[in-house]
Amino acid sequence: MQNQKRVVIESVKPQINCGEIPIKRVEYEYVNVNADVLVDGHDLIAVAVLFKHENDQKWQEVAMDSLDNDAWHARFCVKRQGYYLYKVQAWVDYALNWQKGIACKMADSQSVSIELLEGVAYVKAISAKATKAEKEYLKKVAKVFSDSKKYEEAITIAKSDKLQSLFRKYPKKQFANNSKTFMVYVDRSKARFSTWYEFFPRSASSKKNTHGTFKDCEKLLPRVAKMGFDTLYFPPVHPIGEVNRKGKNNDTEAQSDDVGSAWGIGSKYGGHKEINPSLGSTEDFKRLIKKAKKLGIEIAMDYALQAAPDHPWVKEHPQWFKWRPDGTVQYAENPPKKYQDILPIYFESKDYKALWEECLGILCYWIDCGIRVFRVDNPHTKPFYFWHWIISEVKKKHPDVIFLAEAFTRPKIMQQLAKQGFSQSYTYFTWRESKQELTDYIEELTQTELREYMRPNFWPNTPDINPFHLQGATQSKYIQRYVLAATLSSNTGIYGPVFEHMISAALEGKEEYLNSEKFQVCNYNWSQENKLTHIITQVNKIRHQNEALQQTNNVKFCTVDNDNLIAFYKWDDAKKNELLIVVNLEGFNKQEGSLQLPLYELGIAEGQQLFLNDLMTNNSYVWNKEWNYVALDPALPFHIFKLKK
Amino acid sequence: MQNQKRVVIESVKPQINCGEIPIKRVEYEYVNVNADVLVDGHDLIAVAVLFKHENDQKWQEVAMDSLDNDAWHARFCVKRQGYYLYKVQAWVDYALNWQKGIACKMADSQSVSIELLEGVAYVKAISAKATKAEKEYLKKVAKVFSDSKKYEEAITIAKSDKLQSLFRKYPKKQFANNSKTFMVYVDRSKARFSTWYEFFPRSASSKKNTHGTFKDCEKLLPRVAKMGFDTLYFPPVHPIGEVNRKGKNNDTEAQSDDVGSAWGIGSKYGGHKEINPSLGSTEDFKRLIKKAKKLGIEIAMDYALQAAPDHPWVKEHPQWFKWRPDGTVQYAENPPKKYQDILPIYFESKDYKALWEECLGILCYWIDCGIRVFRVDNPHTKPFYFWHWIISEVKKKHPDVIFLAEAFTRPKIMQQLAKQGFSQSYTYFTWRESKQELTDYIEELTQTELREYMRPNFWPNTPDINPFHLQGATQSKYIQRYVLAATLSSNTGIYGPVFEHMISAALEGKEEYLNSEKFQVCNYNWSQENKLTHIITQVNKIRHQNEALQQTNNVKFCTVDNDNLIAFYKWDDAKKNELLIVVNLEGFNKQEGSLQLPLYELGIAEGQQLFLNDLMTNNSYVWNKEWNYVALDPALPFHIFKLKK
């Protein structure tokens, strides 16, 4: 037989996969909770959100407000890293019902003398938890309610706000019901706001045809810091396999001086816990990490679970690879394609527990060396539940570790990786170009439940993707792509030197770089600074100074009557920092149009003055209409307006 | 540590409240199951729906088909009453992967001799369950694969459909994953298709000013049957309280000859298990039930959990009511309104278990008397969890019992009652009048998840609701309302005599009947048949002959360029019975317009001939365009076209 609970709680949101998947927040972010709460009959109910950090003993409580159609809302702030729990609790509030009934009857001139006698019980019931002064007051109230000669005084007290506030302060939660308990994972703020620069350490040397080292990298740190990047991501820095090593441009025949793909990990020099001797030593790497930290830069490491044929694991743990009937080891393939320089890990191995532990060991090793950010290579080719386990394990000890999922694949696969625990995700931004494409995609990321668990990281390019629209593109197009990435997403990054220097020579008909740094050392003139360098620097500075750009979800697109102009309004949670961004999406010509201000979201009326300050040029404007003229030249194809009402 | 499962199953639909709430079906209805199923990497997966009746030992299995975007679909048929269980199961199919890989490599002219050796294991693995003939074949295949001299024969076999069909027939479900298990409650078909007629037995007499009896009711059965109704619903037939009895028109002062409200249950003659002596005896009632059954009519009883002040429970079980400090019992109220003739049941009573059991006992008692349909009065003023319990208990023994929820209240409350187990629900149809209102409402009922668990029952009127649009309305309006109810919803009903005779005198400014039968005996000329009677009879006949009208969800509204004309296409699951209904929503004038056929849903092309036969007039038409002229006169304000392609 069921119990006597009367209140039904359902549709608690946010709720991902029926609560199996935690939502994500960063420290000091809010969780907006909505729920439908129902009771039979006409009784008043009270509803609250209960929440606590996993390590807390006691739940905190915040009252939910009633909205239309039996919906309720409250929000709470998460202040510490790690898991928070939350649930909705609801109960019929008999004391408030009694008070509401008595007020209705008095308004209808009915006698309430019996009701006053009933009230004695409600008053006594809340007395236990009350303060001393409150106790005395309640004792007096009970006496007055019981005394038929004090009817006038009694009814004044009965309907008083003072009594109501005590009923609310000490609710008697009879037959209270609870929703399922849901989880929030709270990351440090960098999970939501980060600016990445990627280069290959082997190309860090300023000398031509010289293999770069960590010491060369140290020299580049001030440049990266000055440009406003806070995360410096290196492709794998481990020993590179010598067996089946790839040559330049992915050639299966390597020359003797070829350095191979950084992702072909493992050789006689060691595996995932070793440093490629050409880059230096583990000590060099640790020193680099420390020096970077002093400049406000974190080194992000690549975590690529695969092995070159000469990786030490192949001999030490042959059961972690798949062996074929002819005694050879299975290399990576996606028939008919073959990747002979890489052996996939055999996750179906009977020895998988030891394998998983070793994979965890690699992360722990580098965490001990000072790493707190991992860019995970192709996570979508390893089991989802493996990621769930390994990320959870790491976060138990190190809640501040951030994992970026490098999965460019089908939407639900990418979403699933985020659900399993990745802190950030690469996205399709790299291929979203037109106003419609960008609007649809950003609205999908920010206006659906994706916003609760998937944090996009927008990259205009990567070593793997030289998008068609950047091949041979104008400088204006490069500026445009960086500004879009850096203002639409609070997490953004570039494959730096190639982007800055607008290197875009491609393999014919492909979105791949010619002479890709993936397979060779490249030489850059690191001392060179161009217009793009300066604009990136300035945009990064604006990102750091404007909270509206430090989260992705608060965005509202504005109508512009020119498809080559995109405009959007961004704000911080407190609406103290408001920006309007306009970008010319075309790379060659001046674009002009009429922009409709989102008056409702801005909280202003038609005719009200709006002051706009362009944070790039420091030009100022005053608008007082809903529709306003905008024009952008390819030379500086964007506005970032700071708004003042 | 997690296990080695690789496949992720999510978003299984239908799924109500994360599977806490069963969906509903009737016997021989289909359940369409959709799910997102994901795996890492490039491996082929296989997905199935497993289902079984709760009493079955073994699961049945149906393969799911792959749709776009990692979605999968299958359907299964439920054939017996009671609970069915269903879940989605998925696994990586290594044998099929091997076969796909070998085919790709052969197409790329690669040698597959090692792959053939690998194939031996897959062939052997499925041999255990195979038939004798299959076993011999598989033995031969293994031999050929192992024999390098038979390479040509081996590769022919390797990519053969025969081998594939065996892999599919005997899947090796390694590391298979299962979704949560979901539930379907399967009712008998009447839960989905029923036609209700309501009258008060006390008005069944053909003699003026005479209290009707069950014997009088018997005489009316042939009339009800002839009109095509299969469910005859009576307001409560129990003894009516004499204390605080209500007079005519809800007067608080009853005259000595007043019969009282049928819902004021209980008196010295007994309570919920007794029959009002003025109507006859329990034996009379049982005979009526039997006679009705012979005519294809089921008697639906009212289940109203409340008591008159002189209900025997008040003395026998005083703890089931709420007592006030002055020693009086709490009557029903919704402050400042009072209902002195009714005591609400005190569900918060400490003795609630005995109370619940007695409530169940009432249902069981009448079920034993032959009742299988209950119309539940005001279920929204009793706890939701009580309904869940009592309906579940009844259905354990009597899965064929049908409960109609009479809750006219807020949407989520009505939905919640359906979720807790009610088989059918009264709806807002009674107040939905314009084309837009009707379209929006029916689309909400049939195109959202409501379709899975809430079965609407459309009533143009009830003893409680004399809608404004029927007060003084034309006959055409009455016809219109019945046709809409009876064609838009497969469950429909009328408060019969009043509707047929178009009695609509109201309390001023209210949607309540003047001289309501709720408080007095009414006299009807039961032998009278008017145009409305004949049209209702004909429409009911059409409902019985056309499966398209025997379910509610298959409906598609058609565009008509006149807001006074509504048109919709209905079909059965097999699309063997297709109807087009057009209704004039205005009560006074001829309405004409151009109707757009839903060509896509009809599966016809512009220009193709469509034959329409009006089932009311037997007139026939041939249409061969997308847009077609329609006109409806108030005299016969609707078409029910049967379609033939």
Side-chain angles (χ1 to χ4, degrees), chain B residues 357-395:
Chain B
E357 289 292 353
E358 175 58 17
C359 292
L360 176 59
I362 295 167
L363 291 171
C364 292
Y365 178 80
W366 293 114
I367 289 167
D368 287 345
C369 291
I371 294 294
R372 287 292 182 281
V373 183
F374 293 94
R375 177 268 198 196
V376 179
D377 188 69
N378 277 335
H380 56 296
T381 59
K382 289 96 197 170
F384 294 113
Y385 296 121
F386 165 75
W387 293 119
H388 178 79
W389 175 80
I390 203 164
I391 295 173
S392 303
E393 288 298 308
V394 167
K395 296 219 160 186

Side-chain angles (χ1 to χ4, degrees), chain A residues 356-618:
Chain A
W356 288 25
E357 289 292 352
E358 176 59 16
C359 292
L360 177 59
I362 295 167
L363 291 172
C364 293
Y365 178 81
W366 294 114
I367 289 168
D368 287 345
C369 291
I371 293 293
R372 286 293 181 282
V373 183
F374 293 94
R375 177 268 198 195
V376 179
D377 188 68
N378 277 334
H380 57 295
T381 59
K382 289 96 196 170
F384 294 113
Y385 296 121
F386 165 75
W387 293 120
H388 177 80
W389 175 81
I390 204 165
I391 294 173
S392 302
E393 288 297 310
V394 167
K395 296 219 160 188
K396 275 182 198 165
K397 277 194 190 169
H398 306 285
D400 57 338
V401 173
I402 290 170
F403 293 91
L404 165 63
E406 187 257 352
F408 290 102
T409 179
R410 307 193 301 284
K412 286 180 188 161
I413 302 275
M414 290 167 66
Q415 290 158 23
Q416 190 61 222
L417 290 164
K419 286 182 177 179
Q420 298 296 347
F422 280 90
S423 331
Q424 300 184 356
S425 310
Y426 281 81
T427 68
Y428 302 138
F429 166 77
T430 316
W431 299 280
R432 296 293 177 269
E433 214 191 337
S434 73
K435 178 151 79 172
Q436 192 66 50
E437 284 169 355
L438 287 163
T439 306
D440 289 350
Y441 189 51
I442 276 85
E443 287 184 346
E444 183 191 331
L445 292 170
T446 64
Q447 318 293 322
T448 70
E449 69 169 27
L450 291 184
R451 63 181 276 146
E452 305 292 351
Y453 67 85
M454 187 167 174
R455 296 197 192 93
N457 195 329
F458 279 10
W459 288 66
N461 73 330
T462 78
D464 287 308
I465 312 163
N466 175 12
F468 289 127
H469 60 248
L470 287 185
Q471 295 179 18
T474 60
Q475 193 185 51
S476 186
K477 186 78 189 173
Y478 275 82
I479 297 172
Q480 175 211 120
R481 293 302 293 174
Y482 191 73
V483 169
L484 288 171
T487 56
L488 282 169
S489 174
S490 48
N491 293 309
T492 192
I494 47 172
Y495 169 31
V498 159
F499 189 85
E500 271 186 74
H501 302 134
M502 301 195 293
I503 296 164
S504 69
L507 292 181
E508 202 188 325
K510 294 196 170 177
E511 293 195 308
E512 291 175 36
Y513 287 102
L514 184 70
N515 303 324
S516 169
E517 203 167 355
K518 283 166 70 180
F519 306 103
Q520 63 189 73
V521 173
C522 291
N523 287 110
Y524 302 108
N525 180 355
W526 288 105
S527 61
Q528 188 190 309
E529 291 186 356
N530 60 16
K531 182 173 172 182
L532 207 43
T533 313
H534 293 138
I535 285 182
I536 290 168
T537 304
Q538 181 63 14
V539 169
N540 287 350
K541 197 172 156 194
I542 293 170
R543 278 165 56 89
H544 277 273
Q545 290 171 341
N546 289 276
E547 250 188 82
L549 296 177
Q550 293 169 18
Q551 53 76 31
T552 303
N553 289 332
N554 291 353
V555 62
K556 166 82 187 169
F557 287 93
C558 311
T559 305
V560 189
D561 62 357
N562 176 343
D563 280 346
N564 286 323
L565 288 174
I566 191 168
F568 44 96
Y569 164 54
K570 298 273 309 176
W571 64 94
D572 66 334
D573 282 341
K575 281 222 170 181
K576 286 189 173 168
N577 179 246
E578 295 172 279
L579 304 179
L580 177 68
I581 290 117
V582 192
V583 183
N584 176 346
L585 295 177
E586 201 255 8
F588 304 96
N589 302 293
K590 180 175 169 179
Q591 297 293 329
E592 46 191 354
S594 203
L595 180 154
Q596 183 184 26
L597 282 175
L599 297 179
Y600 176 80
E601 285 79 5
L602 279 164
I604 59 172
E606 164 95 63
Q608 196 172 326
Q609 282 194 329
L610 185 71
F611 302 90
L612 300 92
N613 176 236
D614 189 323
L615 297 176
M616 289 300 294
T617 62
N618 205 25

Side-chain angles (χ1 to χ4, degrees), chain B residues 37-53:
Chain B
V37 189
L38 311 168
V39 71
D40 59 281
H42 311 286
D43 283 344
L44 282 180
I45 54 173
V47 188
V49 171
L50 274 60
F51 65 99
K52 71 184 195 79
H53 188 278

Side-chain angles (χ1 to χ4, degrees), chain B residues 324-521:
Chain B
R324 314 191 68 198
D326 65 345
T328 62
V329 63
Q330 177 75 59
Y331 48 73
E333 59 174 20
N334 182 14
K337 287 192 223 160
K338 303 173 178 186
Y339 308 92
Q340 296 94 333
D341 65 331
I342 294 172
L343 310 184
I345 308 289
Y346 186 47
F347 280 92
E348 263 103 17
S349 167
K350 286 194 177 136
D351 191 38
Y352 79 98
K353 290 191 181 182
L355 166 65
W356 288 25
E357 289 292 353
E358 175 58 17
C359 292
L360 176 59
I362 295 167
L363 291 171
C364 292
Y365 178 80
W366 293 114
I367 289 167
D368 287 345
C369 291
I371 294 294
R372 287 292 182 281
V373 183
F374 293 94
R375 177 268 198 196
V376 179
D377 188 69
N378 277 335
H380 56 296
T381 59
K382 289 96 197 170
F384 294 113
Y385 296 121
F386 165 75
W387 293 119
H388 178 79
W389 175 80
I390 203 164
I391 295 173
S392 303
E393 288 298 308
V394 167
K395 296 219 160 186
K396 276 182 197 166
K397 277 194 189 169
H398 306 285
D400 57 338
V401 173
I402 289 169
F403 293 91
L404 165 63
E406 186 258 352
F408 290 103
T409 178
R410 306 192 302 282
K412 286 179 189 162
I413 300 276
M414 290 167 66
Q415 290 159 22
Q416 189 61 223
L417 290 164
K419 286 183 178 179
Q420 298 296 346
F422 280 90
S423 332
Q424 299 184 356
S425 310
Y426 281 82
T427 67
Y428 302 138
F429 166 76
T430 316
W431 297 281
R432 296 292 177 269
E433 215 191 335
S434 72
K435 178 152 78 173
Q436 192 65 50
E437 283 170 355
L438 287 162
T439 306
D440 288 350
Y441 189 50
I442 277 86
E443 288 184 344
E444 182 189 330
L445 292 170
T446 63
Q447 318 293 323
T448 69
E449 70 169 25
L450 291 183
R451 64 181 277 144
E452 305 292 351
Y453 68 85
M454 187 168 174
R455 297 197 192 94
N457 196 329
F458 279 11
W459 289 65
N461 72 330
T462 78
D464 287 308
I465 312 163
N466 175 13
F468 289 127
H469 60 248
L470 287 186
Q471 295 179 18
T474 61
Q475 194 185 51
S476 186
K477 186 80 189 172
Y478 275 83
I479 298 172
Q480 174 211 120
R481 293 301 293 174
Y482 190 73
V483 170
L484 288 170
T487 56
L488 283 169
S489 174
S490 48
N491 293 308
T492 190
I494 47 172
Y495 168 31
V498 158
F499 189 85
E500 272 186 74
H501 301 133
M502 302 195 292
I503 296 165
S504 70
L507 292 181
E508 203 188 323
K510 294 196 170 175
E511 293 195 309
E512 291 175 36
Y513 287 103
L514 184 69
N515 303 323
S516 169
E517 204 169 352
K518 283 166 71 179
F519 306 103
Q520 65 189 72
V521 173

Side-chain angles (χ1 to χ4, degrees), chain A residues 75 80 157 216 244 249 251 295 311 370 429 507 509 585:
Chain A
R75 67 173 196 171
R80 287 150 60 199
I157 295 172
D216 296 319
N244 294 345
N249 287 307
D251 197 331
L295 292 168
H311 191 294
F429 166 77
L507 292 181
L585 295 177

Side-chain angles (χ1 to χ4, degrees), chain B residues 22 52 136 138 154 167 188 204 258 264 358 423 462 512 514 597 618 630:
Chain B
K52 71 184 195 79
E136 296 218 346
L138 291 168
F167 284 148
R188 60 182 167 124
D258 273 336
E358 175 58 17
S423 332
T462 78
E512 291 175 36
L514 184 69
L597 282 175
N618 206 25
V630 283

